[in-house]
Amino acid sequence: MALWGKSELIYNSGKVTINFSDKQVKRHSGTIDFVAAGIKTGDVITVGAAGSIGAAVVSAIVGVHTISIASTNDFVYAGGNQHTNQDYYINEKPKYTLEDSTFDAPELRTTGFSTSIFTRSILGVDVAETGIARTATGNAGKYAVEHAGWVGITSYTDCHGNLRVKSETLVAFSGISSDREDALYPDT
């Protein structure tokens, strides 16, 4: 199992339910087929709108509609034994980021160093997206990153109404593929 991979999006079809007691993620609705999608041990599943529930490393493929996760420690616990009917995506982001409280769920927050909503996320930014961001103007240009690869992004609005964006290259890597996000980092 590698520490990270190149795919920003492997799979995100349907909705899932997370069971905290047996550490399984199961199909709730939609056409989910974890086997056909090629999900494997070591991939990372991020759950909830904008990662609001959290993330975990896939520990086993139980069946077509079920995967096991290594831990529920990085999920937001809201009482009860499970979260149902949740959006999700599976990718190969760096696994060590799950242990970094900087990137804990939720991605959208209203507390911390800003009174406005701020976002912390990990994105796979490919070479083309890096080049486009570097030449962009206005707010889009604030998302320019130093290197292609897995990048931690923090954005918020300061007390003067200005967009602030901080980026940290977590893994410099030119082989990012399977794009998940095109709003901040368009391909063209």
Side-chain angles (χ1 to χ4, degrees):
M1 172 173 61
L3 294 176
W4 60 81
K6 64 180 183 174
S7 294
E8 187 184 21
L9 176 64
I10 298 173
Y11 198 59
N12 68 343
S13 175
K15 293 190 181 267
V16 297
T17 294
I18 306 162
N19 187 303
F20 283 84
S21 62
D22 64 8
K23 297 181 185 168
Q24 290 192 343
V25 178
K26 299 178 181 178
R27 177 183 78 166
H28 179 272
S29 61
T31 56
I32 292 177
D33 187 338
F34 293 124
V35 175
I39 307 306
K40 60 192 176 306
T41 300
D43 290 342
V44 176
I45 182 168
T46 302
V47 181
S52 59
I53 304 296
V57 175
V58 174
S59 61
I61 310 305
V62 177
V64 172
H65 304 299
T66 307
I67 58 175
S68 288
I69 54 177
S71 172
T72 58
N73 292 345
D74 293 313
F75 285 116
V76 173
Y77 183 73
N81 190 38
Q82 60 187 15
H83 287 290
T84 61
N85 197 26
Q86 297 295 320
D87 292 324
Y88 74 98
Y89 61 89
I90 298 175
N91 68 11
E92 296 176 322
K93 74 180 178 183
K95 287 154 201 54
Y96 71 85
T97 61
L98 299 180
E99 303 303 321
D100 185 344
S101 63
T102 302
F103 300 106
D104 281 352
E107 289 180 352
L108 298 174
R109 301 177 191 196
T110 56
T111 59
F113 54 84
S114 172
T115 57
S116 68
I117 293 176
F118 67 97
T119 304
R120 287 186 172 154
S121 55
I122 299 168
L123 301 173
V125 183
D126 65 35
V127 174
E129 293 168 332
T130 301
I132 291 166
R134 285 183 181 157
T135 60
T137 58
N139 282 344
K142 294 179 180 181
Y143 286 93
V145 295
E146 290 296 317
H147 301 281
W150 290 104
V151 180
I153 302 290
T154 301
S155 62
Y156 64 98
T157 303
D158 68 14
C159 63
H160 302 289
N162 300 312
L163 175 66
R164 301 289 185 196
V165 179
K166 299 177 182 184
S167 66
E168 174 185 7
T169 303
L170 304 171
V171 179
F173 181 57
S174 64
I176 295 292
S177 65
S178 304
D179 209 3
R180 175 180 70 88
E181 196 287 322
D182 280 328
L184 298 177
Y185 294 99
D187 294 316
T188 56

